[in-house]
Amino acid sequence: MTMKHRQRVPGLRRLVSATVAALTLTVAAAPNAMAAPATPQEETLQWVSAEDYLATTGASPDRGKLDIGALSKPLPEEGVAPDGAPASLRPRLDPGGGNDGKWWSVVWSGRDRNGTYVPLRLGNSDLGYLHYNVRHNLVSLEPWKAALNSHGPNAQGNYVALLVDRNLGVRETVIFGVQLSTRTQDGRYTSPDGAYIGVITGYCKGKNKCPDAVNRVKVS
């Protein structure tokens, strides 16, 4: 079943505002800091496209003035668990909705900001969702939805999503390799529907398997 592309991920400025508000509350509560021990809270994370992140932080995405890797604070790999995404964040492989189990079945599709239609196909061991979901523990569709909020792939032919914290620190970088052609480079696959092949693979930068946290964060 093909799902409609959602609206672009909101800007990160509200994250900055939330951080400032949190710091204000921290300062105001300082006199009572000894009276009440801090209680652990789940970290606030958000998916954004690399393009949105670079634009918000004042860097030029096309010139690459910002080294994302230098800012990265990766999540620990502990807790990795295959198929860890909530059911609501996984693709719905509905045989009655056009996903008939063939490799070219589209499990989610959308258009980037240039209007280019880029499908995520069910795939197989060579390409698409079935190629990367278990192999790289990337089950949720949310990183791909965020990555598509870009004016096309980067110079390496990838769409990139960033998982950022409230201080705009990059916690994970998820890379999606795509092929914007109707036939794969090796000539083995041609899309029967005439649309682009789309997503070939997806993975967390520098890791064989993504931390399970990437499967729990929804695009806001």
Side-chain angles (χ1 to χ4, degrees):
M1 175 176 64
T2 302
M3 301 173 62
K4 293 184 178 179
H5 181 49
R6 296 185 178 182
Q7 297 297 321
R8 73 167 73 178
V9 176
L12 297 182
R13 292 181 178 82
R14 66 179 182 180
L15 283 180
V16 178
S17 299
T19 302
V20 172
L23 291 174
T24 302
L25 290 174
T26 300
V27 172
N32 299 321
M34 297 299 293
T39 56
Q41 296 182 355
E42 186 173 351
E43 187 174 23
T44 300
L45 301 173
Q46 180 180 352
W47 284 114
V48 296
S49 69
E51 181 176 306
D52 279 343
Y53 182 84
L54 295 174
T56 301
T57 55
S60 172
D62 55 341
R63 296 181 182 178
K65 293 182 180 178
L66 183 63
D67 183 359
I68 295 176
L71 297 178
S72 181
K73 301 176 182 178
L75 293 166
E77 294 195 52
E78 290 77 17
V80 168
D83 205 28
S88 62
L89 301 186
R90 296 185 219 147
R92 300 176 185 176
L93 305 181
D94 180 5
N99 293 312
D100 54 5
K102 304 296 185 181
W103 72 264
W104 59 82
S105 301
V106 177
V107 298
W108 196 87
S109 64
R111 296 182 182 275
D112 65 20
R113 290 178 181 167
N114 281 339
T116 303
Y117 175 80
V118 189
L120 170 58
R121 299 182 185 275
L122 178 60
N124 53 29
S125 60
D126 294 328
L127 52 79
Y129 182 76
L130 292 181
H131 169 69
Y132 72 71
N133 72 328
V134 174
R135 179 180 300 185
H136 298 301
N137 191 45
L138 189 54
V139 182
S140 171
L141 297 181
E142 300 300 289
W144 170 238
K145 294 177 185 179
L148 203 55
N149 286 313
S150 309
H151 287 89
N154 61 19
Q156 290 72 45
N158 303 319
Y159 288 89
V160 181
L162 304 177
L163 187 62
V164 300
D165 58 30
R166 294 181 62 177
N167 296 317
L168 306 187
V170 179
R171 304 306 303 274
E172 291 294 336
T173 301
V174 179
I175 299 172
F176 292 94
V178 301
Q179 249 182 264
L180 300 185
S181 63
T182 58
R183 190 174 185 179
T184 56
Q185 291 180 343
D186 60 12
R188 294 178 60 195
Y189 298 94
T190 301
S191 59
D193 55 13
Y196 288 153
I197 294 291
V199 179
I200 299 295
T201 191
Y203 59 93
C204 284
K205 182 179 180 180
K207 295 183 177 180
N208 182 44
K209 286 186 176 291
C210 293
D212 201 45
V214 304
N215 294 316
R216 298 194 298 267
V217 179
K218 188 172 183 178
V219 170
S220 59

